Amino acid sequence: MNVFFLFFIICCAVLQGCNARAVVSMAACAAGDSIRVCDGEGDIVDQSAGMEVIARLSRAYGDAADVVGGFIGSSRCPEWLEGMYFDGAELVMQVTCDTVEARRALEEAAGVGTFRLERTDSGHPSQKQLKELIMCMRRRLAACGDTLLQSNVVGNGVGLRTINVTMIVCNAEWQRRFRAEVMDSPLLEFHGSTGVEPCTLSGTPDTLGVALVAEPAVLPVTAGAVRLVMSNGSGAGVEFGQSHVLAYERGGRWLVLPGNPNSNLLLLEVEPGDTCVMKADLYPGLNRNRPGRYRYFKEVEIGGEAVTLMAEFRLQ
């Protein structure tokens, strides 16, 4: 028996940690496969029975017979079926009609009844309603004319009960600005840095023959980015990803400087004797950077040993 570990990712944002209360959009499922995900407690739950229901309903209601999922709202899907999600191992179908009628129709189409029904008038929005709301939100954001606000929003997506909006700077001021200029709804849930979170990271600019410096070390306060140079003088390769952390000093404390939380999983390597030039955006328009000390942190592996490198620079 094959075992597939599926990771359901809710866009823009972004679920933190493991969560089995996942929205179902589409997934591939072969007969006999065991489909498992991590739940909110860190346990593995088997969603095979629910995915089998989805596969069968896809064939019954979907516009494309070879696509599993994505049939909600299709031409062959009943109008009263407005969403589905997993609550742990259990598949939940969201309906607007009488649940007895809905169960009869869904069991007939799927040939099985291993699912739970939820009426959309139970106080929670359906996935269909959330998708309609987010499409309206996206149109308004694109047309709002506030280019700084538009640049601050780096992700959005439909959650289980909410519309998730991810921002670079996500303090109360920017949330109010979004609600005033784009959309104000109790279903909005904002994610991102407020710019006042303590930075507890520590690092070194030079270790095991690997050095990291900011060039130049002093930049104008209006600078859009800082240039970093990593030199590998060790006898081993240096491996790292694209993520990093920036921090700034205020009143003797180090705080996180907000940045774009989105990054890919691309793994880079600097060979022995080589150098690598990187760039970190400072977002002066959003962060309203002030003169002072700043730090750049990068987690790397030097010959398999995990190290945090740090480069300090100043804005003036």
Side-chain angles (χ1 to χ4, degrees), residues 7 32 34 48 50 61 63 65 113 121 130 151 169 213 243 248-249 255 278 313:
F7 296 89
S34 177
S48 305
Y61 295 150
D63 290 330
D121 58 2
L130 289 173
S151 67
V169 182
V213 296
S243 62
Y248 65 101
E249 186 186 35
L255 306 174
M278 300 169 288
F313 58 99

Side-chain angles (χ1 to χ4, degrees), residues 6-163:
L6 299 185
F7 296 89
F8 294 95
I9 301 176
I10 298 178
C11 165
C12 127
V14 172
L15 286 181
Q16 305 267 335
C18 295
N19 190 340
R21 294 179 61 86
V23 177
V24 178
S25 55
M26 64 180 297
C29 176
D33 289 339
S34 177
I35 300 175
R36 303 176 182 179
V37 299
C38 180
D39 69 7
E41 303 299 322
D43 298 323
I44 299 298
V45 295
D46 191 344
Q47 297 181 345
S48 305
M51 287 304 301
E52 178 63 23
V53 173
I54 293 172
R56 295 186 181 196
L57 291 179
S58 298
R59 292 190 290 271
Y61 295 150
D63 290 330
D66 58 342
V67 175
V68 178
F71 55 82
I72 303 294
S74 69
S75 60
R76 297 199 296 162
C77 182
E79 291 186 359
W80 45 259
L81 183 55
E82 293 209 338
M84 54 186 176
Y85 64 89
F86 277 102
D87 183 3
E90 186 177 32
L91 176 65
V92 182
M93 311 293 291
Q94 297 175 310
V95 299
T96 59
C97 67
D98 176 72
T99 54
V100 174
E101 175 189 344
R103 177 163 289 280
R104 184 182 300 115
L106 291 173
E107 287 185 355
E108 180 179 347
V112 292
T114 49
F115 54 84
R116 186 175 89 233
L117 294 180
E118 176 184 273
R119 284 284 300 264
T120 55
D121 58 2
S122 60
H124 300 298
S126 70
Q127 288 296 300
K128 182 179 179 181
Q129 292 167 335
L130 289 173
K131 289 176 182 178
E132 291 172 350
L133 184 64
I134 198 171
M135 294 305 295
C136 176
M137 185 198 78
R138 288 169 177 170
R139 289 192 297 269
R140 292 184 182 181
L141 178 62
C144 75
D146 188 337
T147 56
L148 196 57
L149 175 60
Q150 290 168 339
S151 67
N152 194 25
V153 178
V154 292
N156 59 78
V158 173
L160 181 61
R161 308 291 192 194
T162 60
I163 298 296

